[in-house]
């Protein structure tokens, strides 16, 4: 599932230990991950998850969510607890609402994906299969870019203006 792939990619990107096929709600083996919950892409469930995580580990200062609605919910919980300034939230999607949240300082950065490109490549693969019988297999890179309000030296990223030009959903 996409949630497990995002979770495992995050852990790998940060050099964290964890089973390569871990489910989203499994903590894996790295002691730095003290809490995990599945929000099912829902803002309210993301808020509840963050509230529960704050009870387990109130001193932690980095939150990773697998989508931007969960990030918005986490931010709400942090703000309610008076901790929104001391915690960095990073996420994945790159929808227009998420890019606005980066610009507003709610999310420090989001990994922008390109679903229109994914869809067009999927349709092209379907047409090719219908014509030739050739099936697509393996991984297909459809692109991704980190969007951050404040760039970090050594980390490739684009700014909020670029993210807004490339985002999907309601602008």
């Amino acid at each position: 599932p996409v949630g497990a792939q995002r979770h495992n990619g995050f852990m790998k990107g940060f050099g964290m230990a964890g089973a390569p096929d871990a489910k989203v709600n499994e903590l894996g083996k790295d002691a730095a991950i003290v809490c995990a919950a599945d929000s099912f892409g829902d803002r309210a469930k993301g808020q509840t998850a963050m509230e529960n995580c704050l009870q387990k580990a109130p001193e932690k200062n980095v939150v990773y969510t697998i989508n931007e609605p969960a990030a918005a919910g986490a931010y709400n919980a942090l703000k309610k607890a008076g901790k929104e300034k001391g915690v960095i939230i990073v996420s994945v999607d790159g929808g227009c609402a998420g890019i606005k949240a980066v610009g507003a300082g709610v999310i420090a950065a989001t990994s922008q994906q390109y679903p229109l490109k994914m869809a067009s490549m999927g349709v092209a693969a379907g047409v090719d299969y219908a014509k030739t019988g050739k099936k697509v297999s393996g991984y297909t890179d459809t692109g991704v870019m980190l969007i951050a309000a404040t760039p970090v030296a050594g980390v490739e990223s684009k700014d909020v203006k670029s993210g807004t030009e490339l985002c999907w959903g309601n602008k």
Side-chain angles (χ1 to χ4, degrees):
V2 69
Q5 291 174 356
R6 288 178 178 187
H7 171 75
N8 294 337
F10 173 81
M11 290 183 61
K12 182 180 178 184
F14 274 85
M16 302 171 97
D21 59 351
K23 293 181 181 170
V24 172
N25 61 351
E26 292 177 351
L27 299 181
K29 299 174 185 174
D30 199 297
I33 299 178
V34 297
C35 185
D38 197 339
S39 68
F40 300 94
D42 180 82
R43 184 179 183 144
K45 289 179 183 176
Q47 181 170 339
T48 299
M50 188 72 242
E51 290 167 348
N52 293 336
C53 288
L54 281 169
Q55 290 177 16
K56 291 179 184 177
E59 74 290 348
K60 291 301 176 180
N61 60 3
V62 176
V63 173
Y64 161 71
T65 65
I66 65 164
N67 60 49
E68 292 156 356
Y75 179 81
N76 288 346
L78 291 163
K79 188 171 183 177
K80 187 174 158 185
K83 296 182 178 247
E84 77 276 14
K85 300 263 188 252
V87 177
I88 295 170
I89 301 173
V90 295
S91 196
V92 175
D93 271 342
C96 295
I99 301 303
K100 285 179 186 174
V102 172
V106 171
I107 302 173
T110 190
S111 181
Q112 188 172 59
Q113 299 179 326
Y114 306 103
L116 294 177
K117 184 174 182 181
M118 294 174 196
S120 67
M121 290 174 74
V123 169
V127 169
D128 190 47
Y129 175 72
K131 289 180 178 178
T132 68
K134 180 184 172 202
K135 292 183 181 181
V136 175
S137 65
Y139 174 75
T140 301
D141 185 353
T142 58
V144 66
M145 178 53 65
L146 186 67
I147 306 298
T150 305
V152 174
V155 178
E156 183 182 356
S157 67
K158 292 191 179 205
D159 62 13
V160 173
K161 182 177 183 251
S162 297
T164 301
E165 291 169 1
L166 298 169
C167 72
W168 47 271
N170 294 331
K171 290 190 182 194

